[in-house]
Amino acid sequence: MSQYLEQKDLFDKVMHLQGEERQDPLLAIERFFSDYRLHECRHYLWTMVETCLTTDNASFDNAEERGNLLLHYKNLERLIEASALLLQHSGRKPE
């Protein structure tokens, strides 16, 4: 079982944002989009999903697990789009 599922209380917390990013999460979004354009995010995300689904990986042996991965992909893509819009609507530009 995954460590993320075994230690839910630990991994349900914000772990990577520090200092000013905790105070202003748009800073993290701003920094993310200064490194990646939206089309690159889509490309990398799809490459990860495609790799999981096309390689011999016991985690995705059954159709339900593959369906869950594809749904998660779709929702992460929506989250990335929402983040890009939040940054755009804030009037801030990536660093």
Side-chain angles (χ1 to χ4, degrees):
M1 180 177 270
S2 164
Q3 65 180 346
Y4 303 110
L5 297 176
E6 289 177 357
Q7 300 177 33
K8 295 174 190 172
D9 291 337
L10 173 64
F11 291 109
D12 254 351
K13 298 176 183 169
V14 174
M15 298 175 60
H16 298 289
L17 299 183
Q18 300 297 319
E20 61 184 3
E21 289 181 342
R22 281 182 180 261
Q23 300 301 314
D24 183 7
L26 269 177
L27 280 174
I29 296 171
E30 195 174 351
R31 289 173 179 154
F32 179 85
F33 284 104
S34 71
D35 290 333
Y36 304 101
R37 302 268 314 271
L38 195 51
H39 72 276
E40 291 173 310
C41 295
R42 292 179 204 281
H43 167 74
Y44 291 127
L45 189 57
W46 181 252
T47 299
M48 288 185 274
V49 170
E50 187 176 41
T51 300
C52 287
L53 294 178
T54 60
T55 58
D56 189 18
N57 185 332
S59 297
F60 303 104
D61 277 348
N62 75 40
E64 184 179 351
E65 286 301 317
R66 290 190 302 273
N68 288 340
L69 180 65
L70 290 170
L71 180 61
H72 193 69
Y73 163 84
K74 178 181 173 183
N75 289 328
L76 278 174
E77 190 172 16
R78 289 171 43 93
L79 179 64
I80 291 169
E81 285 181 357
S83 298
L85 281 176
L86 277 174
L87 185 62
Q88 182 182 357
H89 289 235
S90 74
R92 294 160 66 166
K93 301 283 184 207
E95 295 177 345

